[in-house]
Amino acid sequence: MTTTTPPAPPGPPPAEDVPRGPGLSLAPGVEPHRALPPQGVLERVPGAGARRRVTVAAGLATLGVVLVLLTSVQPWFTLGAGVLVLVVGLTLREPLALPVLGMPFLLLVNRVGGALSLSDFVLFAAFWPALLFARRPLTGAMRGVLWATAFYQATVLFTVIANPYVANAVEWLHSWLLVGGALLVGWAIGAAGHARLALGLYVAGSVVVALAALAQFAVNLGQGSTAPVYLNEPFLMHKNYIGCVLAFAAIVVYTRPRWLRWNDLVCLGLFGLFVAGILVAQSRQALIGLAVAVAVVALRPDPHRHRSKVVLLAVAGGALVVGTLVQDQLESGNQYNSAYQRLIWFRQSLLIWEQYPWFGAGLRWWYTDRFDEKFQPPNAEFEMLSSGGIVGLVGFLVMFLVILVILWRVDSRYGTLAFVLVLMRFVQGQFDLFWVAAQVSIPFVIAGICLGAQAHAARSGAGEDGLPPRVAPPPPARRGPGSADSAEGRRARHARPERPRRRRLPLPIGHREHS
């Protein structure tokens, strides 16, 4: 009798050989899931064939030939191309590298192409990465100051419509870049945690300007002249401009918030250097603005820093000297000195305003051919009254009032420096030109840095002093007994584990413990 074993039922097909990584372990009988892309996707993926390599090589060769031809005609293109490649590379590595590294270049007012200052060019270039990569959301204080700038732009828009010419529209955009755009650039820097580096770069650039001013004064003194200092190439700076930008740096090192972690003695030395630069420049509006700012910082209570009130005596002395100089100019009878010339310009500005009382004659009216006068009024209110009329002047004053109130209500560790910088610029504008490139943008950039630094500290959990918390280092890892073949490993393997000792109960009465 022959027994036939029935064939076994067909099992699952053998699994394909799937490459398994060193860390992949599956249960017996469990196959890894392999997801295949939809049909047609692989065909659309570009391959690295010979045709693609030839195309890329041809494109690079063409770009190289174009660069060689351009640099042979204009050698400055070489520097420009190198700077462009550097900026692109830094932006890919750190999106806010351009706003941070551009801080010292905000001091330069050399003309680019004959129309745009280098400071405005750097601010415009830094605005776009700040707008795209700044941290969101904005704090309430930052939104408030931006709304104040928007209100001013809305009030000045009436004069742009009433006086249609190119310079009017261009200056309308330019004025917002100097205030609102500068605030955004500063906010992006501070909110990203780069406030200390950015302000350090600005102070370093101001040190160069101060040393150049002192050196020029020494040269003038050697020639027997004690006239105000004007810097030539490569700076091209007016005496009032030198005084204003050095005053900004002086109040930064004098305030020196704790979150900057700057040495007090170094800041004191820098403050003396900047004041010396202002004195050799003989800029009276810079001295007055700095005196007001120092008085506010010294009088405002600061729980984290004690400030001597003796500095107020120097402030009062400086104000007395400036007042005496102005009085002497007015009493001299010389109609060509700066005090008399300002009075003449004020009267002419009022005559122009009387022709356009509500909306003004237009921004930068002195660039047009409608008037014989070709001067920018040396006072913020007279300039706004003749340019934007009553409506523009109200918008200007409301903007500054709202910004100052908001900054005063900010935590004093961050708001004091921002407040005195904006206040200083407003005071400077009472004695000289207001809407001037870097003199407007620099204080608003630093104010934005302070607001951004506050947001960064709140996000990182800063302490009472405004500094980020110090993270304790992890405890050192305990060393094991070593490998099994080492002496430590053998001792650990053969050592008897310690057993918990039994608790011995007291013996009954009359019993003795055996020895």
Side-chain angles (χ1 to χ4, degrees):
M1 182 177 179
T2 305
T3 304
T4 305
T5 303
E16 299 178 1
D17 293 335
V18 180
R20 291 177 171 83
L24 183 62
S25 60
L26 300 176
V30 179
E31 297 296 333
H33 176 70
R34 297 186 66 185
L36 294 177
Q39 186 177 4
V41 172
L42 294 178
E43 288 77 2
R44 292 196 298 268
V45 176
R51 180 179 301 177
R52 186 184 181 190
R53 289 196 295 269
V54 170
T55 304
V56 172
L60 293 176
T62 304
L63 179 61
V65 171
V66 171
L67 289 177
V68 169
L69 293 176
L70 288 177
T71 54
S72 62
V73 177
Q74 293 290 339
W76 285 103
F77 285 158
T78 305
L79 180 60
V83 171
L84 180 61
V85 171
L86 178 61
V87 168
V88 172
L90 290 176
T91 303
L92 293 177
R93 179 65 180 87
E94 171 56 53
L96 296 176
L98 180 58
V100 173
L101 298 179
M103 285 296 295
F105 296 99
L106 293 177
L107 293 164
L108 301 179
V109 289
N110 306 60
R111 292 293 172 179
V112 178
L116 188 67
S117 69
L118 184 59
S119 177
D120 287 342
F121 178 77
V122 172
L123 180 64
F124 180 77
F127 170 75
W128 298 106
L131 180 65
L132 296 176
F133 303 116
R135 285 188 175 271
R136 305 291 194 278
L138 304 178
T139 59
M142 186 63 188
R143 290 196 300 269
V145 295
L146 288 179
W147 276 115
T149 63
F151 175 79
Y152 166 74
Q153 292 297 120
T155 57
V156 180
L157 184 61
F158 290 102
T159 191
V160 177
I161 298 174
N163 303 279
Y165 56 91
V166 176
N168 197 6
V170 171
E171 182 59 24
W172 184 74
L173 298 174
H174 180 227
S175 61
W176 185 87
L177 179 67
L178 294 178
V179 180
L183 285 168
L184 279 175
V185 170
W187 162 268
I189 294 172
H194 303 312
R196 186 166 179 257
L197 174 60
L199 291 180
L201 290 174
Y202 173 74
V203 170
S206 301
V207 168
V208 176
V209 175
L211 293 177
L214 292 174
Q216 184 63 43
F217 180 76
V219 172
N220 296 346
L221 193 62
Q223 298 173 354
S225 173
T226 58
V229 169
Y230 293 80
L231 293 181
N232 298 321
E233 292 286 352
F235 297 106
L236 296 178
M237 293 182 179
H238 186 271
K239 70 180 188 69
N240 290 333
Y241 179 80
I242 296 172
C244 289
V245 296
L246 292 184
F248 297 146
I251 198 61
V252 170
V253 297
Y254 179 77
T255 308
R256 62 183 185 283
R258 290 196 64 187
W259 46 270
L260 286 178
R261 291 172 287 176
W262 286 355
N263 184 273
D264 290 346
L265 292 178
V266 174
C267 289
L268 182 61
L270 291 175
F271 181 76
L273 174 65
F274 294 143
V275 171
I278 298 172
L279 291 176
V280 300
Q282 303 180 25
S283 175
R284 287 172 293 187
Q285 58 265 34
L287 286 174
I288 296 174
L290 181 60
V292 172
V294 169
V296 172
V297 174
L299 293 176
R300 188 175 192 183
D302 188 352
H304 304 288
R305 189 185 300 277
H306 174 72
R307 301 187 187 276
S308 175
K309 303 300 186 292
V310 179
V311 70
L312 297 178
L313 298 177
V315 168
L320 181 61
V321 170
V322 173
T324 303
L325 292 176
V326 174
Q327 183 178 3
D328 291 343
Q329 283 189 343
L330 293 177
E331 293 177 353
S332 65
N334 182 10
Q335 299 184 359
Y336 298 99
N337 59 36
S338 59
Y340 263 106
Q341 186 62 51
R342 278 170 168 76
L343 295 178
I344 295 173
W345 285 336
F346 293 163
R347 184 175 66 253
Q348 292 176 347
S349 300
L350 289 177
L351 293 176
I352 293 174
W353 166 71
E354 289 176 354
Q355 304 177 37
Y356 307 89
W358 289 104
F359 303 133
L363 305 177
R364 302 286 173 175
W365 53 262
W366 49 91
Y367 287 158
T368 64
D369 297 331
R370 295 181 295 165
F371 308 99
D372 296 332
E373 295 79 5
K374 304 293 181 183
F375 65 91
Q376 181 176 355
N379 174 272
E381 286 75 23
F382 280 102
E383 178 179 355
M384 289 308 308
L385 194 61
S386 61
S387 301
I390 296 177
V391 176
L393 178 61
V394 170
F396 177 81
L397 295 177
V398 169
M399 177 185 71
F400 263 91
L401 178 62
V402 171
I403 290 177
L404 289 174
V405 169
I406 291 175
L407 295 179
W408 183 260
R409 293 179 177 178
V410 172
D411 187 351
S412 60
R413 293 172 295 178
Y414 304 92
T416 299
L417 179 57
F419 175 85
V420 295
L421 278 164
V422 177
L423 177 63
M424 181 190 297
R425 182 55 203 153
F426 184 79
V427 172
Q428 292 172 355
Q430 306 308 305
F431 305 97
D432 200 19
L433 311 179
F434 181 83
W435 291 107
V436 183
Q439 293 175 236
V440 178
S441 60
I442 289 175
F444 283 99
V445 167
I446 300 178
I449 289 176
C450 295
L451 296 179
Q454 182 189 24
H456 176 73
R459 188 172 57 253
S460 59
E464 290 294 328
D465 56 356
L467 299 177
R470 294 185 177 182
V471 180
R478 297 182 59 184
R479 297 184 60 183
S483 60
D485 296 334
S486 63
E488 293 83 357
R490 288 193 296 270
R491 283 196 295 269
R493 187 167 60 251
H494 296 295
R496 296 179 62 183
E498 296 183 1
R499 297 180 180 178
R501 305 180 68 176
R502 286 185 179 181
R503 182 182 178 187
R504 300 184 63 178
L505 299 176
L507 295 174
I509 300 176
H511 287 262
R512 292 183 304 174
E513 185 177 3
H514 296 285
S515 57

